[in-house]
Amino acid sequence: GAGVSQSPSNKVTEKGKDVELRCDPISGHTALYWYRQRLGQGLEFLIYFQGNSAPDKSGLPSDRFSAERTGESVSTLTIQRTQQEDSAVYLCASSLYSGGAGELFFGEGSRLTVL
Amino acid sequence: TQLLEQSPQFLSIQEGENLTVYCNSSSVFSSLQWYRQEPGEGPVLLVTVVTGGEVKKLKRLTFQFGDARKDSSLHITAAQPGDTGLYLCAARGGSGGSNYKLTFGKGTLLTVNP
């Protein structure tokens, strides 16, 4: 079975443009997470989806950031009016279980560079 | 906000040496995980610990969860160049935390030189 798939793997954009990042989780995984990783840093939680429940958006850094997920399938993270500080690797992960000691399976990330 | 402090931030050693990296917090966690991340890839789970005082071994890697479930350590024996990577601890629960949100430390970047 395929792992978590993210696209694009690399994106270079100009300041002020909108970008959309896509995540295709492992089939059957109900939980989906987005994290941001700046150069040399750990992972910063952005948003969490669990089935049809309301997402936990508490980690989104500003209203320029939004994310959607249709059911238990693909998720998209949208950044509007990108700024240079948005440059980072955006990692998506999925999990079979939402809590306890469940393992997160990560994609390879989408590297965003804002010029 | 719960914080996971990892130390050291950087570690460069020779092949064959032993090392220990630490993950500390003032919060009590329901579970703690260690992940390893290689350049250009996402983190991959190494181990999960859930019981205070628990020790788990994975070949040359030994993981320990503190008795109070606030801290953890990772010890590598006879390090090899293939151990090179960013080691991240991550935890659920804790004060102000949730049972599903996994909070990560900033990681220890380990380089093992041949």
Side-chain angles (χ1 to χ4, degrees):
Chain A
V4 176
S5 177
Q6 291 190 246
S7 61
S9 55
N10 278 287
K11 175 72 176 179
V12 180
T13 191
E14 294 179 348
K15 178 181 173 180
K17 299 286 180 105
D18 298 351
V19 297
E20 191 173 275
L21 308 177
R22 175 188 169 107
C23 173
D24 204 339
I26 294 172
S27 177
H29 281 195
T30 61
L32 186 146
Y33 302 75
W34 282 97
Y35 285 87
R36 177 169 70 179
Q37 186 173 30
R38 291 196 166 108
L39 188 64
Q41 300 293 311
L43 277 64
E44 175 188 4
F45 170 81
L46 296 178
I47 189 168
Y48 162 81
F49 295 92
Q50 170 58 45
N52 294 317
S53 301
D56 178 347
K57 303 180 181 181
S58 61
L60 294 178
S62 78
D63 59 8
R64 296 186 296 104
F65 287 72
S66 63
E68 294 183 348
R69 187 184 186 193
T70 306
E72 295 182 356
S73 62
V74 171
S75 175
T76 56
L77 175 68
T78 301
I79 308 173
Q80 296 178 310
R81 304 181 303 281
T82 52
Q83 303 294 313
Q84 289 183 333
E85 61 262 28
D86 299 335
S87 295
V89 176
Y90 290 83
L91 289 160
C92 174
S94 69
S95 179
L96 188 58
Y97 304 110
S98 62
E103 175 180 1
L104 265 59
F105 294 83
F106 284 86
E108 295 186 344
S110 292
R111 180 177 297 278
L112 175 65
T113 303
V114 182
L115 301 177
Chain B
T1 304
Q2 51 187 333
L3 289 176
L4 287 168
E5 301 285 344
Q6 290 193 243
S7 61
Q9 188 175 357
F10 302 97
L11 187 56
S12 180
I13 62 171
Q14 294 300 121
E15 182 176 1
E17 292 183 0
N18 302 331
L19 67 114
T20 302
V21 298
Y22 300 92
C23 175
N24 296 295
S25 176
S26 58
S27 297
V28 176
F29 296 105
S30 56
S31 66
L32 188 142
Q33 297 178 324
W34 285 92
Y35 288 78
R36 189 176 84 179
Q37 184 179 25
E38 298 189 25
E41 299 183 6
V44 175
L45 180 69
L46 295 174
V47 77
T48 300
V49 286
V50 297
T51 305
E54 183 176 2
V55 177
K56 282 192 173 179
K57 293 191 176 184
L58 182 65
K59 296 182 181 179
R60 295 175 294 99
L61 277 61
T62 302
F63 304 86
Q64 185 164 9
F65 201 14
D67 291 341
R69 290 185 291 132
K70 292 183 178 181
D71 52 80
S72 180
S73 63
L74 158 59
H75 182 80
I76 301 178
T77 303
Q80 299 177 0
D83 296 327
T84 293
L86 180 66
Y87 288 81
L88 295 155
C89 68
R92 288 185 174 91
S95 56
S98 68
N99 205 32
Y100 58 80
K101 185 186 300 184
L102 199 57
T103 299
F104 284 81
K106 292 186 176 181
T108 293
L109 184 60
L110 171 65
T111 303
V112 182
N113 303 297

